Structure formats: C-alpha cells, structure tokens
Amino acid sequence: MDPHLLRTFVTVAECGSFSAAASRLGYTQSAVSQHIAALESDLGTPLLRRRPVVPTAAGERLLEHAGPILLRLDAARADVRRTVADPPSTLTLAASPLATRSLATALAEVRRAYPGTETSLTVCGRDQVVAGIAAGTFTLGLVDGIATPTDPLNLTNAVQLRTTSVAHDALVVALPTTHPLARSGPGLSLGDLADARWIDAPDIAAPLATLRAAAGSDALRPAFTYYGTDLHTLLTLISSGHGLAVLPRSVVTPDLAAVSLTSPRLVHRTELLHGHLSDPAAEAVASALSDRE
C-alpha cells in the first residue's frame, strides 16, 4: 500500500471534499482523484462515496489503520533525520494547555546556561503534541492526562516515544459553589455523577470518553462540549452552571467548589515526550523537567 495514496485518502476523508484535499496537499484535484482510484484498485473496493464525500464501510475500516501507519512512518523519517541533521537553531517545544505550568522554571534554567538559544512554544491538544513529537516537528513535548496512580499515560501504540514523568496532581470534580454536590463530604465517585450535567473539554479536562472507560459505564454524557484550549473559558463555563468537569486540584480557582474524586482511583499526570536528543539545550530542558517530580 503506497503511503502517499493513503495520506491522500485520509486528507479527503478529513476534508469531505476532493477539491479541499487538493488545496491542502498542494495537488491538482485530478491528481487527488487518481490517488483515490489507485488505492481503491489496489484494495479492490470503493473507499469513498462521492456525493457527499464520506468513507464507505471499508473506508472507515482503513481509517482506523491509517492514523497509526502514517504516524509510524513520520516517526521513522524524523528519527533517521535526527542522526544526520545539525542541531536546530530554535528549540521547538509543544505542550497541552495544562502541561505548560511545568515549563517556566526549566526554561529559565536553560536560558541561563544557553543564553543564545531561541525557543518557540506551541500550545495545542494532546494528540497534536504526540503527533508532532513523533514526526519531528517539535523537539520536546509536555502532555497531561489522567491515569491510575501507578500507570503512565496511555498516549499511543503506534510509535515508541521516550516518556518521563514530570508532575502529578490530585483530581477533583469542579462545579459551582451553589451546586447541590458542592459539599459532598469526603468526595465523589463517578458513579455518583452518572446523571450530572457534564462539560466535555477533551483538551483541558479529563475527557469524558476516558472517564467512561475508567468507570466502566456509558452513563457520563456531555451536555456541553468545549473544543478550545483556554482554561479560563472552561472555568467560566463551569461557574456559569453549564456543567461540571474533572480537573487537577491546582487549577481550580477559589470561586469554584473542588470536590475530591474518590473512585475510581485516578491522578492527573504530566509527562515529557521526545525522540533522540542531540541539542545540549534540549537535553538541559529534558533534564530540568525530569528532576521536578
């Protein structure tokens, strides 16, 4: 299976349009159509319906495989390039929104040791951080999430990334102080919240899909979904009564109630991600972050 054809297929499926995919990839629309036709011929089945442009059942199945395959190829390319490339002139960092809190002290130490180093920081979703590290777009990444107290974050099985625990925090249910559950004794379990009004903010709060898996229940469903990465906006939505969310205790402001999550036993973790490091400044940041916990 030609990975160029596979990447074209994924882009068309994401865009829902051959012309939009052609614009994103820098191809002609005719070339995109030829790529899809060649891939369908190779696999012996239609992968896309044309009006509207949506995957067939076979196309949906291929999409499940395509992400990990393309990520693995990007990671292999980046890993090989690291062995022959000169150290980058700019230290490129990426972090999920809540993971940025771990960076300030480490960067200050590196700035003192390597005063000429230029640094860039991209704040983005967790999946984008992982994909960017695998592809070599970023030198170092910080990503946060929830896990059991003894387990690392479950990031991806597609590639092997170097991970180091940086910080952990207790999880709480954040809700308005006027909420009936705001004074719920020693804490709350997810079972207590099956019928609650939830905000799903997958790039900031604990994603509801992850909480459902941890609780072994399909009952936790969003009343409001926030796809942004601004913590202040999420806290404002909670205080305004749009729903509750599970967050690390340290980020919940005093105007909200923060009730301990007692069951299942989960913690908020921040982990450092990277590939092979050849830049002394990057190694220094990694070392400073690794020494935090």
Side-chain angles (χ1 to χ4, degrees):
M1 187 185 305
D2 188 328
H4 295 292
L5 305 184
L6 185 61
R7 199 175 297 276
T8 299
F9 165 69
V10 171
T11 305
V12 174
E14 289 176 348
C15 294
S17 162
F18 280 69
S19 59
S23 178
R24 182 189 293 186
L25 294 168
Y27 298 154
T28 64
Q29 186 170 337
S30 174
V32 169
S33 297
Q34 290 172 11
H35 284 193
I36 299 302
L39 186 59
E40 290 178 329
S41 176
D42 179 30
L43 295 176
T45 184
L47 299 171
L48 292 166
R49 296 186 180 90
R50 268 43 176 191
R51 289 187 177 84
V53 178
V54 294
T56 63
E60 292 283 3
R61 187 65 60 83
L62 181 58
L63 283 173
E64 294 176 8
H65 295 280
I69 290 170
L70 294 175
L71 184 61
R72 189 67 181 263
L73 289 171
D74 288 341
R77 183 182 297 109
D79 213 25
V80 171
R81 286 177 174 171
R82 289 187 191 103
T83 67
V84 297
D86 294 328
S89 58
T90 300
L91 180 59
T92 55
L93 308 174
S96 53
L98 298 190
T100 57
R101 297 174 301 146
S102 300
L103 272 174
T105 301
L107 288 178
E109 294 176 12
V110 172
R111 188 175 66 250
R112 287 192 293 270
Y114 301 94
T117 300
E118 296 182 18
T119 304
S120 71
L121 171 63
T122 299
V123 178
C124 52
R126 298 178 180 101
D127 291 344
Q128 292 171 281
V129 176
V130 173
I133 292 297
T137 306
F138 307 121
T139 309
L140 296 170
L142 279 169
V143 65
D144 73 290
I146 65 171
T148 62
T150 57
D151 288 339
L153 296 179
N154 183 17
L155 298 174
T156 177
N157 293 322
V159 293
Q160 294 296 317
L161 297 175
R162 290 165 175 79
T163 65
T164 304
S165 179
V166 171
H168 66 271
D169 195 356
L171 286 170
V172 297
V173 182
L175 62 171
T177 56
T178 55
H179 195 283
L181 297 175
R183 295 173 178 80
S184 298
L188 291 165
S189 72
L190 289 181
D192 298 328
L193 302 167
D195 298 322
R197 182 179 178 86
W198 285 92
I199 298 175
D200 194 13
D203 283 325
I204 309 178
L208 284 189
T210 306
L211 293 178
R212 285 194 293 270
S217 169
D218 290 330
L220 309 178
R221 293 293 169 181
F224 193 108
T225 301
Y226 174 56
Y227 291 112
T229 59
D230 181 68
L231 176 62
H232 176 73
T233 298
L234 174 60
L235 296 178
T236 300
L237 290 170
I238 295 171
S239 67
S240 300
H242 292 287
L244 52 84
V246 171
L247 289 163
R249 182 180 295 277
S250 60
V251 306
V252 179
T253 49
D255 59 310
L256 292 173
V259 182
S260 295
L261 181 66
T262 56
S263 177
R265 292 188 63 229
L266 300 168
V267 296
H268 178 265
R269 297 178 65 85
T270 300
E271 293 184 358
L272 172 70
L273 312 179
H274 60 84
H276 292 286
L277 295 178
S278 58
D279 179 12
E283 291 179 344
V285 173
S287 177
L289 287 168
S290 301
D291 291 340
R292 284 178 57 88
E293 192 169 58

